[in-house]
Amino acid sequence: MQYPTRFSNLPEYAFPRLRALLDPHPAGGEVLHMSIGEPKHKFPDFVPELLLRYADGFNKYPPNDGAPELRAAIATWLENRFDLKSVDPDKNVVNLNGTREGLFNAALALCPEEKNGQKPVVLLPNPFYQCYMVAAIQAGAEPVFVPAPEDNGFLPDFASVPKDLLERTAIVYMCSPSNPQGAVASKAYWQELIALGETYDFRVFADECYSEIYRDTPPTGALTAAQDMDVDPERVVVFHSLSKRSNLPGLRSGFAAGGANSIAAMKQLRNYTGAPVPLPIQMVSAAVWADEAHVVKNREMYQRKFDISDRILGNLQGYTSPQAGFFLWLKAGDGEAAALKLWKEAGVRVLPGEYLSRPNDPRLGGGNPGAEYFRVALVANEQEIERGLYAIRDTLGDQMGAGT
Ligand SMILES: Cc1ncc(COP(=O)(O)O)c(C=O)c1O
C-alpha cells in the first residue's frame, strides 16, 4: 500500500512527543497540566439555553457560508472592535468550523500553483501554530520559517527575507497576538508587512484568534492597518475564533474576513469540501459575537494571571511578561531538558519550545528559535497557576537566570 510522501517527513505532533518525553518517568509531585492551551474559564451562561432554543436546526443541512444572522453579527463585531468603515456580511465574511480549519483551507483556496514561474513560498513565523506549515505543504508551496527572536520583540522580520524568496512568496502567515510568545504586532508593523505584500504581491493571513486577551490596549488588527493604506483589498485575510475570546473551544466556531474575491474563493472551496458549522451552533455564535460583557470578564481573569506571573517570575532573566494571549514563553537554556526536570521534580507539565518550532531556513541564519524555551499555558485556576509558577521558579530558577 502506498502513502503520500507530502507529509512523511513531518515531525511527530507536539503532544504525542510530549507524552513520549514525560510519561516514562513518574511525576515528582501532584500533576498539573500547563502544556495545553485549552481555555478553562466559564463560557457565557446563555449558551446552553440558546442551543436548546435553536436545536430544531439540527434537522437541516447548515448554510455553508454562514446564516445571515451570524454573518451580520460578525460584520458588526468587526466594525466595532477594529474601527472598520464597512464590512459587507455577504461579501467579506465566511464562517468557519474554528480558525484551524480556515487557516488550513485558506491556503488551498488562495495559494497559486506558481509564483513568478516558480514553486510558491509560504512564509511562517518561527515558532508557529503548526497548522500553517501543513497548509503550505498541502497547497504545493514551500514553507519557509522566519525567526521571531527576542531581540525583535518576538516578531518575525519578514523584510529581511532574501529577495529571491520574497519574489516567490504567495502567502505570509502572521499571528498577533502570537502563540506562543504573546507578542503583539503594532499598526506600523502590520503596515510594513502589508506594504511588503504590495511590493512582492503576496497575501497576508492574519491569525488574530488571541486578539481579545490583552493587558490594557486592544491589539491593532491587520484589516485596520490596511484600511488606512491604499492597497489591494485582497491583500489581507484575518481569522478569528470564539475558542479563546469566549471560552468555547468545543463549539468549533470562527470566521475569516477579507476582500470579496478571497472570501468568494474560500466559500467556493467550502461548498465542495467544507465541514459546515451546524445551524444551532451558528445561531448561538451570532449571540456570542454580539455580547461583550463576558469578554471583558474573561480578559480580567487573564490580566490577574499575568500579574501573578509577573510577581512570581518577574525577576528571572528568562522571563518575558507577555503582552497578550495566555501563554508564557520562558527561556531556560534547554527547553526540553527543563520540561523533563520540571515533570520529574514537581509534576508540572509544560511544552518544550522546540515542539512548536522548526530549524530556521539556512538562508535566514539557521538555528532553532524554540530550542532554549518552554511554553506555559495560563489556563488553570489562579491557585493552580500560582503553584505551577512557584514550582517553575524553584525547580528551574537557576537556569532561568535567578538573581542575576
Ligand atoms: C495561534 C492559533 N491559531 C489558531 C488556533 C485554532 O483555534 P480554533 O480552531 O479553536 O479557533 C489556535 C488554537 O490553539 C492557536 O493557538
Side-chain angles (χ1 to χ4, degrees):
M1 186 67 78
Q2 286 201 317
Y3 291 91
T5 52
R6 291 192 294 284
F7 303 131
S8 55
N9 64 352
L10 285 185
E12 174 99 89
Y13 199 62
F15 294 103
R17 222 170 144 189
L18 182 68
R19 288 194 286 276
L21 176 73
L22 303 186
D23 290 356
H25 307 278
E30 194 185 333
V31 174
L32 180 55
H33 292 273
M34 301 185 97
S35 54
I36 303 179
E38 182 179 65
K40 296 277 182 233
H41 299 160
K42 188 83 189 72
F43 51 71
D45 290 345
F46 57 79
V47 166
E49 187 195 315
L50 277 188
L51 199 52
L52 264 184
R53 189 183 314 161
Y54 293 116
D56 279 355
F58 284 122
N59 210 205
K60 296 191 161 83
Y61 277 115
N64 248 313
D65 302 348
E69 294 86 342
L70 174 57
R71 282 182 286 121
I74 289 172
T76 303
W77 181 77
L78 269 176
E79 287 176 355
N80 293 340
R81 164 63 178 85
F82 291 103
D83 261 331
L84 298 176
K85 289 189 192 86
S86 109
V87 178
D88 183 334
D90 296 332
K91 295 197 173 131
N92 300 129
V93 172
V94 57
N95 85 123
L96 301 172
N97 201 313
T99 42
R100 182 165 68 175
E101 172 258 302
L103 287 161
F104 180 80
N105 282 311
L108 295 191
L110 297 173
C111 186
E113 283 81 7
E114 286 192 344
K115 177 78 191 294
N116 290 330
Q118 296 181 77
K119 186 178 169 110
V121 159
V122 172
L123 300 181
L124 320 176
N126 197 18
F128 61 100
Y129 184 57
Q130 302 289 292
C131 163
Y132 312 154
M133 171 181 67
V134 185
I137 296 170
Q138 182 66 3
E142 177 188 348
V144 170
F145 307 100
V146 183
E150 186 174 359
D151 61 13
N152 200 42
F154 292 111
L155 296 170
D157 180 6
F158 291 113
S160 71
V161 171
K163 196 165 178 281
D164 59 317
L165 287 177
L166 286 171
E167 278 164 353
R168 286 171 52 207
T169 299
I171 291 166
V172 172
Y173 280 94
M174 175 62 197
C175 186
S176 170
S178 67
N179 170 6
Q181 310 98 320
V184 173
S186 65
K187 187 170 182 183
Y189 181 97
W190 279 124
Q191 291 191 331
E192 275 169 34
L193 177 57
I194 293 164
L196 198 67
E198 285 282 291
T199 306
Y200 289 99
D201 194 22
F202 59 71
R203 277 193 167 82
V204 175
F205 285 177
D207 181 354
E208 300 183 347
C209 68
Y210 293 94
S211 67
E212 303 317 288
I213 306 175
Y214 54 82
R215 293 212 140 153
D216 30 41
T217 313
T220 304
L223 287 177
T224 315
Q227 176 173 263
D228 295 345
M229 303 168 76
D230 181 21
V231 293
D232 185 338
E234 305 302 328
R235 192 62 61 208
V236 175
V237 182
V238 299
F239 297 83
H240 284 272
S241 172
L242 293 178
S243 298
K244 334 284 177 190
R245 171 189 181 268
S246 304
N247 301 308
L248 287 163
L251 196 73
R252 308 312 304 136
S253 187
F255 70 83
N261 295 337
S262 307
I263 296 299
M266 290 175 69
K267 285 179 177 173
Q268 170 75 338
L269 182 66
R270 280 178 72 74
N271 282 334
Y272 284 97
T273 68
V277 180
L279 188 54
I281 290 180
Q282 294 196 27
M283 299 307 282
V284 169
S285 301
V288 178
W289 284 113
D291 183 69
E292 279 303 311
H294 75 276
V295 184
V296 173
K297 277 198 208 140
N298 189 39
R299 186 159 49 241
E300 283 166 2
M301 286 193 267
Y302 283 116
Q303 285 166 346
R304 284 203 296 277
K305 292 177 178 179
F306 292 142
D307 291 343
I308 293 172
S309 308
D310 288 350
R311 174 164 54 78
I312 298 175
L313 301 178
N315 59 3
L316 298 180
Q317 267 193 342
Y319 176 71
T320 304
S321 190
Q323 291 171 274
F326 53 54
F327 295 109
L328 302 179
W329 183 241
L330 303 178
K331 192 171 181 181
D334 176 339
E336 198 175 51
L340 185 58
K341 185 164 189 244
L342 192 61
W343 171 248
K344 291 206 301 202
E345 295 185 16
V348 177
R349 288 176 94 89
V350 296
L351 196 65
E354 208 181 320
Y355 298 4
L356 298 168
S357 59
R358 295 297 300 269
N360 289 321
D361 196 283
R363 292 160 288 191
L364 299 169
N368 188 323
E372 291 182 273
Y373 291 82
F374 63 93
R375 189 190 77 174
V376 181
L378 299 177
V379 291
N381 66 43
E382 287 181 25
Q383 227 184 347
E384 287 178 325
I385 283 180
E386 286 213 358
R387 178 163 76 78
L389 298 185
Y390 277 123
I392 289 171
R393 194 190 66 182
D394 296 344
T395 313
L396 302 171
D398 284 349
Q399 61 217 72
M400 289 175 61
T404 49

